[in-house]
């Protein structure tokens, strides 16, 4: 009658009446079918929500919030009226208590400093005890950041039997580059998501980490990581192209020739494809 459901031993399963086992298997089949139907509905709902947001964005476009010319607004379009100022200065007003970041939960706190008053502020009497609900003030800080340099020394030893010289090798898990995986990832992040130029990347690494790195090394790191990400990038792009609703946009981006990829000084561009599940960013040089 089939294998027992998960969590039920073979002996217990066979000890049950055949009708009970058949009923449970039928219920499991119906449950799987319902789960598949729910997943299909979820995908459809996500696609419809994305399409609705796209349509609302298109309807709300005008010459005031997009590159459309004023003539495309139509005769019934009325620009929003400017709000009249209240006459008050910007920012918090006198007497306003102000607001700061919300307190992090205690499990996020790394160090607690207990501060007790020494004496009564009115009569000077010495105070002792603990406040069960003290006022809490948190200070967020980052630890001192410094690069870690690991030196691998490959010793060469001579065999006492045959006089053959053997040298140790660098383990496979050690980066062949002079820069480790975390530093390489940071270099790639600074040149893509933020993005920073070669000179600004050099300045940030030097001032923040004390790491001096050449432009050619930055270009080599970026090319190496780009090659490693080529396959998942193509998979994400192929998935995005198959979606029923996709938002696509493009903008210009300044590019230099530090890596030798733009000797003729062509202008670069950034391109994005947004779907409900995947967002793809691409950078490149204009063809013309």
């Amino acid at each position: 009658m089939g294998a027992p459901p998960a969590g039920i031993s073979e002996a217990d399963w066979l000890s049950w009446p055949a009708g009970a086992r058949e009923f449970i298997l039928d219920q499991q089949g119906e449950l799987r079918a319902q789960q598949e139907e729910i997943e299909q509905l979820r995908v459809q709902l996500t696609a419809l929500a994305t399409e609705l947001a796209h349509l609302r964005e298109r309807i709300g476009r005008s010459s005031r919030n997009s590159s459309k010319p004023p003539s495309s607004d139509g005769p019934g379009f009325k620009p929003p009226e400017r709000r009249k100022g209240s006459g008050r200065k910007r920012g918090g007003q006198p007497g306003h208590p102000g607001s700061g970041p919300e307190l992090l939960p205690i499990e996020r706190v790394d160090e607690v400093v207990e501060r007790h008053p020494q004496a009564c502020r009115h009569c000077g009497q010495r105070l002792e005890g603990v406040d069960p609900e003290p006022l809490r003030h948190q200070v967020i800080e980052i630890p001192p950041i410094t690069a870690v340099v690991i030196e691998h020394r490959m010793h060469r030893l001579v065999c006492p039997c045959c006089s053959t010289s053997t040298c140790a090798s660098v383990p496979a898990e050690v980066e062949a580059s002079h820069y480790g995986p975390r530093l390489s990832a940071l270099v790639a992040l600074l040149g893509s998501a933020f993005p920073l130029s070669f000179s600004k990347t050099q300045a940030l690494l030097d001032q923040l980490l004390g790491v001096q790195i050449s432009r050619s090394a930055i270009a080599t790191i970026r090319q190496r990581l780009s090659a490693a990400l080529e396959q998942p990038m193509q998979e994400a792009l192929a998935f995005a192209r198959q979606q029923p609703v996709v938002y696509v946009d493009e903008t210009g981006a300044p590019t230099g020739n530090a890596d030798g990829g733009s000797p003729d000084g062509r202008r670069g561009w950034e391109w994005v494809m947004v779907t409900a599940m995947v967002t793809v960013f691409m950078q490149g040089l204009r063809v013309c």
Side-chain angles (χ1 to χ4, degrees), residues 247-277:
Y247 175 80
V248 179
D249 199 3
E250 173 190 354
T251 185
T255 57
N257 190 38
D259 58 354
S262 181
D264 52 355
R266 283 182 292 165
R267 182 169 175 78
W269 55 266
E270 293 182 356
W271 176 75
V272 61
M273 175 181 284
V274 182
T275 70
M277 300 294 292

Side-chain angles (χ1 to χ4, degrees), residues 59-238:
I59 293 174
R61 290 180 187 174
S62 67
S63 61
R64 298 180 63 88
N65 57 18
S66 69
S67 59
K68 295 176 61 179
S71 59
S72 65
D73 290 338
F77 175 78
K78 293 183 179 181
E81 297 182 359
R82 291 182 175 270
R83 294 181 58 185
K84 295 182 179 180
S86 62
R88 298 181 297 179
K89 294 182 179 180
R90 292 186 176 182
Q93 304 302 310
H96 180 65
S99 60
E102 295 184 0
L103 292 175
L104 297 176
I106 192 62
E107 56 267 19
R108 291 283 308 278
V109 176
D110 299 289
E111 180 182 359
V112 176
V113 179
E114 303 286 358
R115 301 194 178 276
H116 302 267
Q118 299 298 320
C120 174
R121 62 186 177 89
H122 178 67
C123 66
Q125 173 67 32
R126 182 176 179 81
L127 299 176
E128 296 181 356
V130 176
D131 183 355
E133 295 184 1
L135 296 178
R136 299 171 62 198
H137 174 74
Q138 295 180 347
V139 177
I140 301 176
E141 180 59 291
I142 59 175
I145 302 176
T146 181
V148 177
V149 180
I150 303 174
E151 179 176 299
H152 297 267
R153 298 183 177 182
M154 281 64 71
H155 291 256
R156 189 187 304 273
L157 301 178
V158 178
C159 177
C161 296
C162 63
S163 299
T164 301
S165 175
T166 303
C167 183
S169 58
V170 179
E173 63 271 13
V174 176
E175 287 281 334
S177 168
H178 292 289
Y179 305 99
R182 285 189 292 271
L183 180 57
S184 298
L186 178 59
V187 170
L189 184 67
L190 294 177
S192 56
F194 285 95
L196 297 183
S197 63
F198 278 73
S199 59
K200 289 184 177 180
T201 299
Q202 287 178 304
L204 187 146
L205 294 176
D206 186 14
Q207 297 176 22
L208 185 62
L209 302 176
V211 173
Q212 296 182 353
I213 184 172
S214 66
R215 294 193 173 199
S216 61
I218 293 176
T220 300
I221 290 174
R222 292 179 178 178
Q223 292 171 356
R224 176 162 52 89
L225 295 184
S226 295
L229 295 173
E230 178 65 23
Q231 181 176 350
M233 176 68 183
Q234 293 300 326
E235 293 176 356
L237 182 60

Side-chain angles (χ1 to χ4, degrees), residues 39 42-43 46 50 239-240 243 245 273-280:
E39 179 63 21
R42 187 189 65 80
V43 174
T46 301
T50 304
F239 176 84
Q243 302 310 299
V245 179
M273 175 181 284
V274 182
T275 70
M277 300 294 292
V278 173
T279 299
V280 180

